[in-house]
Amino acid sequence: MNPKSAKIALKAFFVLSTGSAFAGTITCTPAPAGAGPASWIRRIAIDDHSRTVNMDVVRHRTKEADTMGKIRADLLGIEEAPGGEPAYVFNAIAADGAEVTHLFRLHKAGEWRLASAGVVFVGKVPTLRTIEPGKVFDCKRSELG
């Protein structure tokens, strides 16, 4: 087997072994906003292989500047969707000193939309703090990560 066909066969094996035709990475940025406020999430990168999600977020906003930060989340599931693109479900556990756990669902409904909810745990009881019905994102998929 020549090196080129061996490389193609190896890539095909990794795609088939993940159980998903969408193996690789998908990177999303907020679509240009109209009159609404800018999203606090500036970039999402989902890696199907490692089942991780990395997000660039606005930690603190002032009139002069935004303080940026990073959040690492766990990819909880990839749901099959009727439109052919999967729906990604992931969460970002609150860091030490932070009180909110964020739950996300990125799905394609004509356009990519990110819906999220913030949950606060009081004792051991979860309490819904915020719901964002959905922001539009521009997403690009890599070939095989």
Side-chain angles (χ1 to χ4, degrees):
M1 183 180 287
N2 69 31
K4 185 176 181 178
S5 49
K7 187 176 179 180
I8 292 170
L10 186 60
K11 284 183 179 181
F13 170 76
F14 282 120
V15 169
L16 294 174
S17 65
T18 63
S20 171
F22 299 103
T25 59
I26 184 168
T27 304
C28 305
T29 55
S39 175
W40 65 280
I41 299 173
R42 298 293 173 89
R43 182 179 164 275
I44 302 169
I46 299 173
D47 184 338
D48 291 354
H49 297 296
S50 64
R51 300 191 64 78
T52 58
V53 180
N54 292 303
M55 296 184 288
D56 295 338
V57 299
V58 176
R59 292 264 186 214
H60 188 268
R61 188 173 274 153
T62 65
K63 290 182 181 180
E64 293 80 32
D66 292 341
T67 303
M68 301 300 292
K70 295 191 179 292
I71 294 177
R72 184 175 173 119
D74 293 320
L75 182 60
L76 301 175
I78 302 173
E79 303 169 355
E80 293 299 323
E85 289 285 352
Y88 298 95
V89 178
F90 51 100
N91 70 343
I93 304 298
D96 290 339
E99 59 185 44
V100 179
T101 297
H102 295 281
L103 308 170
F104 301 95
R105 184 170 191 269
L106 179 68
H107 63 282
K108 191 166 187 178
E111 56 201 1
W112 284 98
R113 298 192 70 80
L114 179 71
S116 66
V119 177
V120 177
F121 287 88
V122 179
K124 293 184 178 183
V125 178
T127 304
L128 187 61
R129 181 173 176 190
T130 60
I131 295 178
E132 291 183 24
K135 298 258 185 195
V136 177
F137 276 73
D138 292 328
C139 298
K140 307 265 187 282
R141 185 178 305 287
S142 72
E143 299 221 355
L144 290 169

